């Protein structure tokens, strides 16, 4: 790794201060993508390890001051742990595939550790803890703000004449009853959708943490192995795992009648969809590269197709279908690998027979 000047290090620390100040927005956003983990790795690549370490400490301290012990756990396990693993692999100049696997595994382990420790220490699930946090925040506000919240949840309609923020429009008993119903509805929605959102966040964050810093360092001439999107492909084990996830999601969708069937379906479907979407992006980029498309045009095509694939909330998107076809029938797909192994085994048998007396 190259030497980083004092000015660059100070600039990176200043960005870390900005990250810490934005933690009230960045930490809740982690259910979509863990932006702080990605930013810490970007700071490591652009401004050096000192600025990344200082920024990590500031982010954990900020998360702890805002959300208490849960914030500290989130900072340590969801943000710092994956970033630290990525920094070590970048520092050791590990191969691209190893860094990508390490980023995904670190993100998954960190998320699992955060959920486990939070459940043990708080005594409730993340959905229940978030619902309780929202209730505490709303209860501390004037009555009018609580009525606004109920209106956003569709529990009441605000009068056309406006609302008194101090006293609201409901009586205390009506507000308490409607608040209980609204929070119960919100809790059920979280229990249904939060597992899938966390799985999606884990995978997308891991992919970005493995790819973006690698690209930054490769463009700076760090002598680091980097793959473009056209080189992305699922290995044999990853393809089989993604197929099993898709089949499992169908089982929960069609056959299971348990209360956990819907969240389980969303989680397994999300994992399979994202895995094959990444494979599909690699396949499309390879086709664009063979047709002579420029890098800019290829990037816009991939962004457009990825955006369209996100319109498919559940099930398999078109880009994921391309990924399935590429992962199974492509030149490096399961069938091609199977034929290659059979061919090698046949050659080994022939060589063995020729060597016998």
């Amino acid at each position: 790794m190259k030497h980083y000047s004092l000015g660059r290090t100070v600039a990176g620390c200043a960005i870390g201060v900005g990250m810490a100040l934005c933690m009230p927005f960045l930490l809740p956003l982690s259910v979509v993508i863990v932006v702080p983990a990605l930013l810490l790795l970007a700071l490591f690549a652009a401004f050096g390890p000192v600025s990344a370490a200082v920024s990590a400490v500031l982010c954990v301290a900020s998360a702890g001051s805002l959300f208490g012990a849960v914030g500290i756990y989130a900072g340590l396990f969801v943000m710092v742990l994956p970033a630290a693993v990525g920094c070590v692999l970048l520092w050791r100049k590990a191969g691209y595939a190893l860094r990508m696997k390490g980023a995904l595994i670190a993100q998954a382990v960190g998320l699992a550790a955060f959920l486990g420790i939070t459940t043990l220490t708080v005594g409730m699930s993340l959905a229940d803890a978030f619902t309780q946090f929202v209730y505490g925040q709303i209860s501390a506000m004037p009555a009018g703000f609580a009525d606004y919240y109920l209106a956003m949840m569709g529990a009441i309609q605000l009068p056309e004449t406006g609302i008194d923020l101090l006293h609201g429009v409901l009586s205390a008993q009506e507000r308490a009853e409607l608040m209980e119903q609204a929070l119960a509805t919100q809790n059920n929605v979280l229990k249904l959708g939060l597992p899938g959102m966390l799985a999606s966040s884990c995978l997308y964050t891991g992919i970005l943490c493995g790819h973006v810093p690698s690209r930054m360092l490769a463009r700076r001439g760090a002598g680091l192995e980097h793959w473009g999107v056209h080189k992305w492909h699922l290995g044999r084990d990853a393809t089989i795992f993604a197929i099993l996830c898709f089949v499992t999601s169908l089982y929960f969708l069609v056959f299971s009648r348990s209360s956990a069937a819907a969240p389980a379906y969303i989680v397994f479907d999300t994992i399979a969809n994202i895995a094959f979407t990444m494979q599909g992006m690699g396949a499309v980029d390879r086709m664009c590269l063979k047709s002579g498309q420029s890098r800019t045009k290829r990037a816009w095509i991939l962004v457009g197709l990825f955006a369209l694939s996100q319109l498919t909330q559940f099930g398999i998107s078109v880009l994921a279908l391309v990924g399935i076809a590429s992962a199974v029938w492509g030149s490096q797909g399961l069938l091609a690998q199977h034929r290659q192994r059979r061919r090698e085994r046949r050659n080994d048998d022939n060589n063995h027979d020729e060597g016998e007396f």
Side-chain angles (χ1 to χ4, degrees), residues 105-187:
I105 293 173
Q107 202 67 45
V109 171
L111 178 61
F114 165 68
L115 293 176
I117 293 178
T118 301
T119 302
L120 291 176
T121 55
V122 179
M124 62 183 71
S125 66
L126 187 61
D128 293 333
F130 181 78
T131 302
Q132 190 178 70
F133 173 78
V134 171
Y135 176 75
Q137 294 294 312
I138 295 175
S139 299
M141 295 180 180
F145 287 91
D147 292 351
Y148 267 119
Y149 171 79
L150 292 173
M152 288 189 297
M153 294 292 293
I156 64 171
Q157 288 186 350
L158 294 178
E160 297 180 358
T161 57
I163 183 174
D164 183 357
L165 291 179
L166 291 178
H167 303 94
V169 296
L170 300 173
S171 65
Q173 182 177 358
E174 290 175 333
R175 185 177 298 108
E177 293 176 354
L178 290 174
M179 185 66 67
E180 183 179 357
Q181 296 173 8
L183 290 175
T185 301
Q186 182 187 57
N187 186 259

Side-chain angles (χ1 to χ4, degrees), residues 228-250:
V229 178
H230 63 280
K231 292 185 178 180
W232 282 5
H233 63 87
L234 297 175
R236 174 177 174 271
D237 294 340
T239 301
I240 294 175
F241 176 73
I243 292 174
L244 290 177
C245 286
F246 178 64
V247 173
T248 304
S249 71
L250 293 180

Side-chain angles (χ1 to χ4, degrees), residues 92 98 113 123 130 172 186 191 196 199 338 354:
R92 295 173 62 89
L98 178 59
F130 181 78
Q186 182 187 57
K191 288 182 177 179
H338 178 68
E354 291 175 0

Side-chain angles (χ1 to χ4, degrees), residues 170-228:
L170 300 173
S171 65
Q173 182 177 358
E174 290 175 333
R175 185 177 298 108
E177 293 176 354
L178 290 174
M179 185 66 67
E180 183 179 357
Q181 296 173 8
L183 290 175
T185 301
Q186 182 187 57
N187 186 259
N188 291 332
V189 171
L190 286 174
K191 288 182 177 179
L192 175 64
L194 191 59
M197 294 177 66
L198 292 177
S200 174
S201 171
C202 178
L203 291 174
Y204 281 132
T205 303
I207 292 169
L208 290 175
C209 286
H211 184 76
V212 173
S214 173
R215 177 175 174 80
M216 293 173 63
L217 288 172
R219 295 184 68 177
R220 294 169 63 89
L224 199 70
E225 182 189 15
H226 177 71
W227 293 359

Side-chain angles (χ1 to χ4, degrees), residues 243-265:
I243 292 174
L244 290 177
C245 286
F246 178 64
V247 173
T248 304
S249 71
L250 293 180
Y251 166 78
F252 282 110
L253 177 65
V254 178
F255 298 106
S256 180
R257 295 294 181 267
S258 67
S259 59
Y265 160 72

